[in-house]
């Protein structure tokens, strides 16, 4: 018998009892479906069994780990349904980028058109499989056996991926004879998938996810500009022969990575030059508004764009929106009583508009500088007056929100949204989360520039993400131009810097689970040295050695 502590109460269970059995006894205590469990601080799937005394807490489909498990299980359900409907050899569904409230997918190896009639048929098949409540079984096999299995199944991306894997074993999931690998934990059976949707989009379709807290599958809201930008980046990566991690590892192992790095940097430089040309040709643009989520490389991008604008005869001047923060004692507080530096109301919007309007009118203006040590605005003789060729490059979280610059004419603004939209996939069925790439960037940068540990960065990440969801993402489609700052090779470089920082997180820390997940993720990549990376490269903002003051 095992003594299990749940919510402060000690209960005795027979050894071998599954976490799922225990979860069913406590489901009524939760508003959402229990998806996973923490046992003695370790994240566990519900089909695992109790073997010792310990403390048990539950994770629901409204929690971050539970959301991810639900979505992976939904994807497996989709793959099984496609296999049953179009089960000829070589027919598959490729799971690509996240878009809106779902995952964009395309059919491969078939001429089947993605019509609404076909999607209705596919949806019905998924519902049938879900209603059967079929178990999802997990088996650990040797890496060599996994490579052989994926070769036989025609899953070439996985075959390459595990060809560079140092781990001796691989976890394989099986659903009624269909076998696959997934990056992360799964739900115990298909009956847990109670909501999903399918809608045609572009050359494929979107698998819609339910809203975590309500379970409601809302209608698809496409982000066309964002999708097109990431799609173009993925197509460029495919042309370079690097569309997934296995191909990146292959390029590193074969010595091709130096050429790929040079081509990627040249391609990004050309894109920034093209963007500068668009701005110059637009005419009368005095305010270049740049916004993007954390660790998108906004600072380096702003410098490089300014250089190209200068080369075209313009005179760019950087204006950090942060200089318009209210004095600390006037800053709004969040629901926990902490200063909310990310809300729009933390800025002196009236002063910003007064200064910018005066500059637009040709007046000479003294601009503020915010002292982050004292928490007060200061004036240090920073005067500015705009001539015919002068433009302001304004970077900040609210740059795309017209409430920030309400007094400025629309035709005087050019809005740029920048984000690291990772173009690599893990494999055919596992998209690489763009947030993971940004989190690793931030861990490396903050340790170098702010003396912030990886544990501290991970601890604040959920708060950062909530701010992005509220203040940045709703405005991304308002941009005149979307710029992808992700580099094909960057995670192989960041791995070298991030791994020691992540290994330094104690196993007893709440952030250890996330650190362990990121370490497993970085284990997919072969390391790449940074010596030959250009000093103006965007990745230098994070690893150091930039020619810019970042």
């Amino acid at each position: 018998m095992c003594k299990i502590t749940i919510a402060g109460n000690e209960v005795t269970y027979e050894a071998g009892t599954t976490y799922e059995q225990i979860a069913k006894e406590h489901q009524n205590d939760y508003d959402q479906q229990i998806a996973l469990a923490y046992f003695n601080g370790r994240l566990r799937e519900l089909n695992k069994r109790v073997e010792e005394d310990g403390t048990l807490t539950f994770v629901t489909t409204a929690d971050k780990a539970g959301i991810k498990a639900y979505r992976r299980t939904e994807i497996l359900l989709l793959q099984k349904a496609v296999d049953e409907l179009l089960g000829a050899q070589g027919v598959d569904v490729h799971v690509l980028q996240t878009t809106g409230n779902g995952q964009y997918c395309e059919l491969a190896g078939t001429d089947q058109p993605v019509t609404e009639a076909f999607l209705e048929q596919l949806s019905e098949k998924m519902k049938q499989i879900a209603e059967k409540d079929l178990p999802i079984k997990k088996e650990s096999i040797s890496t060599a056996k996994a490579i052989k299995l994926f070769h036989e199944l025609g899953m070439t991306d996985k075959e390459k991926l595990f060809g560079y894997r140092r781990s001796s074993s691989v976890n394989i999931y099986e659903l009624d004879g269909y076998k696959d690998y997934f990056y992360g934990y799964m739900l115990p059976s298909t009956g847990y998938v109670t909501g999903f949707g399918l809608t045609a989009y572009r050359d494929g379709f979107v698998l819609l996810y339910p809203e975590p807290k309500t379970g409601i599958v809302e209608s698809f809201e496409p982000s066309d500009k964002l999708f097109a930008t990431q799609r173009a980046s993925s197509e460029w990566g495919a042309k370079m022969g690097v569309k997934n991690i296995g191909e990146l590892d292959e390029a590193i192992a074969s010595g091709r990575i130096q050429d790929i790095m040079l081509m990627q940097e040249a391609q990004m430089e050309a894109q920034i030059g093209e963007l500068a040309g668009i701005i110059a040709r637009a005419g009368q643009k005095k305010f270049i508004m740049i916004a993007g989520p954390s660790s998108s490389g906004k600072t380096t991008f702003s410098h490089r764009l300014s250089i190209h604008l200068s080369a075209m005869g313009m005179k760019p001047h950087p204006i950090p929106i942060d200089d318009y923060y209210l004095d600390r004692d006037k800053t709004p507080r969040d629901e926990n009583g902490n200063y909310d530096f990310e809300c729009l109301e933390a800025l002196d919007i009236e002063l910003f508009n007064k200064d910018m309007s005066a500059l637009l009118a040709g007046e000479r203006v003294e601009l503020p500088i915010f002292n982050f040590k004292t928490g007060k605005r200061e004036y240090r003789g920073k005067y500015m007056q705009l001539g015919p060729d002068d433009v302001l490059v304004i970077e900040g979280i609210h740059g795309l929100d017209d409430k920030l610059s309400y007094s400025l004419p629309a035709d005087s603004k050019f809005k740029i949204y920048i984000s690291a939209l990772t173009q690599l996939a893990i494999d055919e069925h596992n998209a690489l989360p763009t947030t993971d790439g940004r989190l690793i960037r931030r861990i490396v940068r903050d340790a170098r520039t702010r003396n912030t540990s990886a544990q501290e960065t991970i601890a604040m990440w959920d708060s950062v993400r909530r701010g992005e969801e509220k203040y940045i993402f709703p405005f991304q489609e308002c941009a005149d131009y979307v710029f992808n700052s992700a580099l094909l090779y960057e995670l192989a470089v960041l791995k070298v810097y991030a791994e020691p920082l992540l290994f330094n997180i104690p196993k007893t820390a709440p952030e250890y689970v996330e650190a362990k997940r990121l370490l497993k993720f970085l284990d997919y990549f072969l390391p790449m040295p940074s010596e030959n990376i250009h000093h103006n490269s965007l990745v230098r903002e994070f690893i150091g050695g930039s020619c810019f003051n970042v």
Side-chain angles (χ1 to χ4, degrees), residues 71-366:
R71 292 176 177 181
R72 289 186 203 102
T73 308
E74 190 176 322
I75 289 170
L76 177 59
L77 184 64
L78 167 68
Q79 291 169 224
K80 174 62 177 173
V82 169
D83 187 62
E84 290 195 6
L85 285 177
L86 307 170
Q89 184 68 27
V91 175
D92 194 12
V93 56
H94 285 188
V95 180
L96 304 171
Q97 68 222 55
T98 301
T99 182
N101 55 325
Q103 202 81 31
Y104 177 70
C105 306
E106 289 183 353
L107 295 176
T110 177
D111 295 329
Q112 170 65 51
V114 181
T115 61
E116 290 298 339
F118 170 73
L119 291 179
E120 286 180 14
Q121 187 181 9
L122 182 58
S123 178
E124 184 58 36
K125 177 61 70 175
M126 290 176 68
K127 289 176 184 175
Q128 292 172 6
I129 298 170
E131 288 169 358
K132 290 179 182 178
D133 196 22
L134 299 172
I136 297 171
K137 302 173 184 176
K138 183 177 180 179
E139 178 188 9
S140 181
I141 63 176
S142 70
T143 301
K145 188 175 179 182
I147 292 170
K148 183 175 182 292
L149 171 66
F150 295 134
H151 175 78
E152 292 170 351
L153 294 174
M155 297 182 186
T156 56
D157 288 4
K158 291 184 176 67
E159 184 182 356
K160 285 183 180 178
L161 180 69
F162 290 108
Y164 296 95
R165 185 86 181 271
R166 284 176 292 184
S167 176
S168 60
S169 63
V170 176
N171 291 323
I172 303 297
Y173 289 94
E174 180 179 348
L175 170 56
D176 193 26
Y178 181 88
K179 296 182 179 181
D180 206 347
Y181 167 81
F182 281 89
Y183 166 57
Y185 293 117
M186 303 285 281
L187 302 180
S189 67
T190 59
Y192 281 72
V193 180
T194 55
F196 64 88
L198 297 172
T199 187
Y201 184 63
R202 301 296 177 98
D203 297 326
F205 60 94
V206 176
L207 174 66
L208 298 173
Y209 299 131
E211 203 283 323
K213 292 185 178 180
T214 66
I216 296 171
V217 180
E218 298 177 351
S219 58
F220 177 52
E221 296 182 6
S223 301
D224 292 332
K225 293 178 182 178
L226 207 67
F227 180 90
T229 300
Q230 189 167 7
R231 187 72 167 160
S233 297
S234 297
E235 289 173 354
W236 186 86
K239 288 179 182 178
M240 296 298 104
V242 183
K243 63 180 183 295
N244 54 56
I245 296 176
E247 290 179 346
L248 175 63
D249 288 341
E250 191 173 60
I252 294 171
S254 66
R256 287 196 303 118
I257 193 61
Q258 181 68 15
D259 287 344
I260 290 171
M261 183 270 289
L262 291 171
M263 286 187 286
Q264 171 84 94
E265 293 291 351
Q267 185 261 354
M268 183 170 283
E269 191 71 15
Q271 189 178 359
I272 296 173
E274 177 188 328
L275 171 57
I278 292 172
I279 295 170
R281 290 190 297 273
Q284 303 305 311
K285 301 297 181 183
K286 286 296 185 181
F287 305 98
I288 314 302
M289 316 291 287
I290 302 173
S294 174
S295 302
S296 292
K298 295 185 288 293
T299 305
T300 297
F301 170 76
S302 298
H303 282 297
R304 289 174 65 174
L305 177 61
S306 294
I307 289 170
H308 279 276
L309 292 171
S310 298
M312 294 184 173
M314 303 173 77
K315 296 177 181 177
H317 304 277
I319 300 289
I321 292 178
D322 288 0
D323 280 341
Y324 283 88
Y325 269 131
L326 293 168
D327 287 351
R328 191 72 42 83
D329 59 352
K330 298 176 183 176
T331 302
R333 295 179 182 268
D334 61 19
E335 64 276 9
N336 299 316
N338 300 317
Y339 288 120
D340 188 355
F341 296 111
E342 296 187 343
C343 69
L344 183 63
E345 291 73 24
L347 298 170
D348 192 334
I349 303 170
E350 296 303 318
L351 179 63
F352 177 81
N353 281 273
K354 176 177 174 290
D355 287 352
M356 296 303 112
S357 295
L359 286 170
L360 188 61
E363 298 176 22
R364 188 169 183 260
V365 178
E366 184 180 9

